[in-house]
Amino acid sequence: MIDLYTWQTPNGEKPVLMLEECGLDYDLHMIDISAGEQKTPDFLAINPNGKIPAIVDIDGGERHAVFESGAILIYLAEKTGKFLPASGPARYEALQWTFFQVGGTGPMLGQWHHFRNAAPEKIPYAVDRYKNESLRLLGVLDAHLKDREWLAGDYSIADIINFGWVRSGLSGLRDDGASQLAALMAWTERVGSRPAVKRAIDRLDQAKRAKTG
Ligand SMILES: N[C@@H](CCC(=O)N[C@@H](CS)C(=O)NCC(=O)O)C(=O)O
């Protein structure tokens, strides 16, 4: 059984998608990051970085905690043998688009949201810098997907990990040029129409409602 600690955010939904795609049993523990639950001693014992998502896999009596969404997806892929080739060029193709997300679209769009919506002082340079870099990264994905169904060969953790932030970026930057990214929009619809992805989004939505009322 796997315990998943998460919240309804683009990073938090990644392992829910993966667990549903893999057909693994899991208990969903909602960590309300707006209430600071990610900084409690119990949660810090699982992820000393105090951020969701994190998992604890209790398998055959062994207790294994993993944090960082990229590491969680690789862990689950290796546990099940699904959505990540075991070796060779195809494995590194999937991994490069996985790390592209973790080091690229996630932090850049996250900072753009912060400087646009949350910063106490409006700093146009910061808003523009993160907006332009986010648009550039979305453009890289769009160009790559012009003649492909999935990011790296077959559907893989690269598609699973990129989905949430791309959806958020396409929506938030719609009037800044993202509405031109037709191949990326079509890919988002392909990923979003998968039954496991729909189940994941619904389950997370219901769990958040149950927690916040
Ligand atoms: N690199 C991390 C990012 C995790 C992350 O930024 N989580 C956010 C929610 S999307 C969080 O927990 N924020 C609360 C905080 O920073 O206190 C990953 O991919 O898992």
Side-chain angles (χ1 to χ4, degrees):
M1 174 60 79
I2 292 174
D3 284 314
L4 168 61
Y5 299 84
T6 199
W7 192 241
Q8 193 183 37
T9 73
N11 288 321
E13 76 181 15
K14 297 169 186 173
V16 194
L17 263 60
M18 183 65 176
L19 287 158
E20 289 290 340
E21 291 281 14
C22 292
L24 287 167
D25 278 339
Y26 62 102
D27 282 335
L28 190 51
H29 304 273
M30 295 302 277
I31 302 294
D32 185 347
I33 58 172
S34 61
E37 291 179 4
Q38 73 281 21
K39 309 295 182 201
T40 62
D42 281 355
F43 186 74
L44 290 172
I46 296 167
N47 180 0
N49 193 31
K51 287 182 187 282
I52 58 92
I55 61 167
V56 178
D57 186 3
I58 302 146
D59 199 355
E62 294 275 320
R63 192 175 175 282
H64 198 139
V66 186
F67 64 88
E68 279 294 322
S69 59
I72 294 169
L73 264 54
I74 294 169
Y75 176 86
L76 295 173
E78 292 183 344
K79 180 182 174 77
T80 57
K82 292 179 178 172
F83 306 115
L84 179 65
S87 63
R91 178 178 177 84
Y92 296 101
E93 203 187 332
L95 287 176
Q96 74 193 2
W97 289 107
T98 298
F99 284 95
F100 173 94
Q101 192 291 310
V102 176
T105 48
M108 294 305 121
L109 279 161
Q111 293 301 320
W112 175 64
H113 279 293
H114 175 83
F115 281 105
R116 197 180 65 139
N117 303 325
E121 183 193 345
K122 286 286 162 240
I123 308 170
Y125 174 81
V127 176
D128 286 349
R129 175 177 165 78
Y130 291 115
K131 179 179 82 179
N132 292 337
E133 181 60 2
S134 297
L135 279 167
R136 192 191 67 77
L137 291 167
L138 294 176
V140 171
L141 289 170
D142 183 66
H144 182 67
L145 283 163
K146 280 208 161 48
D147 53 2
R148 284 176 184 77
E149 187 176 14
W150 306 116
L151 282 169
D154 294 336
Y155 182 73
S156 72
I157 61 167
D159 300 290
I160 294 169
I161 206 160
N162 273 279
F163 176 67
W165 278 111
V166 166
R167 207 177 33 161
S168 162
L170 285 178
S171 156
L173 292 164
R174 191 178 39 238
D175 298 333
D176 295 289
S179 58
Q180 316 281 317
L181 305 175
L184 192 53
M185 278 193 278
W187 167 87
T188 308
E189 278 165 26
R190 277 197 294 283
V191 179
S193 66
R194 291 177 65 88
V197 173
K198 288 186 177 164
R199 277 198 308 276
I201 291 171
D202 280 357
R203 186 160 173 192
L204 203 47
D205 202 44
Q206 281 170 24
K208 187 180 175 192
R209 282 170 206 267
K211 173 118 181 177
T212 55

